[in-house]
Amino acid sequence: GKINTAIPIVNPLYGAAMFLLLAHVLCAYLIKGTILARIVHESIFPTTVNDRGCKGTTHWLGVTIMVALFSAFISISIPDFNLLVDMIADIQFAPLGIILPPLMLLCVRHAAERETSALEYAWIATIEVIGVFLLFGGTSVSIMQAISDLQGTAFSC
């Protein structure tokens, strides 16, 4: 559905939250798309990567448009692509966004020979438990959703 009908706006704060979430997603994907286009540009036209002239700008624009079209083609041509993206996001979010940062904090503190209090260990353990729960809970919900959505439709002729 449309994003403006996905969240019922009964409170102005919901509208503000929807706008901020949309802005966040747009910024994140613009940054990722820019990085991907730069990598492709470096591999196809390495001499014009930092060229600010007409030739470099034309190459950059062409590569950016081709990356966008290729991404759109992939997302349209794969049936139920959203289910695949949901599963990938659920598998990556908890380890990279919740579980790994506190462990990295402990590693940095250990390397810097700084002490960690018992309360901090308790908080980190709580965060780790929540992360593991979200990893397995989110992934299992995505798999169950995919199974229910694809029941009898995948590969049916």
Side-chain angles (χ1 to χ4, degrees):
K2 295 182 179 178
I3 194 164
N4 62 347
T5 60
I7 300 175
I9 302 178
V10 295
N11 185 340
L13 291 176
Y14 288 147
M18 182 176 66
F19 172 76
L20 291 173
L21 181 63
L22 177 64
H24 166 72
V25 170
L26 285 176
C27 289
Y29 282 102
L30 283 172
I31 291 169
K32 291 175 185 178
T34 302
I35 293 170
L36 180 61
R38 176 121 176 139
I39 291 169
V40 172
H41 190 172
E42 285 177 348
S43 64
I44 296 175
F45 304 111
T47 59
T48 62
V49 171
N50 294 320
D51 183 9
R52 304 272 184 198
C54 183
K55 186 176 182 181
T57 304
T58 305
H59 286 171
W60 168 82
L61 186 61
V63 167
T64 304
I65 290 172
M66 292 309 296
V67 165
L69 289 175
F70 183 71
S71 301
F73 173 74
I74 292 293
S75 65
I76 291 169
S77 63
I78 297 176
D80 298 310
F81 185 69
N82 61 332
L83 299 174
L84 179 66
V85 170
D86 287 345
M87 279 190 264
I88 291 170
D90 286 332
I91 290 170
Q92 290 181 350
F93 168 68
L96 296 177
I98 297 177
I99 296 172
L100 195 60
L103 294 178
M104 291 174 66
L105 173 70
L106 288 177
C107 290
V108 168
R109 285 192 168 196
H110 179 71
E113 298 177 356
R114 292 185 62 194
E115 291 187 25
T116 304
S117 69
L119 181 62
E120 289 173 323
Y121 276 121
W123 274 111
I124 289 172
T126 304
I127 291 170
E128 298 301 312
V129 168
I130 291 170
V132 169
F133 173 75
L134 288 175
L135 173 64
F136 290 109
T139 304
S140 63
V141 167
S142 288
I143 290 172
M144 289 188 290
Q145 180 70 36
I147 290 171
S148 68
D149 284 356
L150 298 175
Q151 196 78 29
T153 60
F155 306 110
S156 61
C157 298

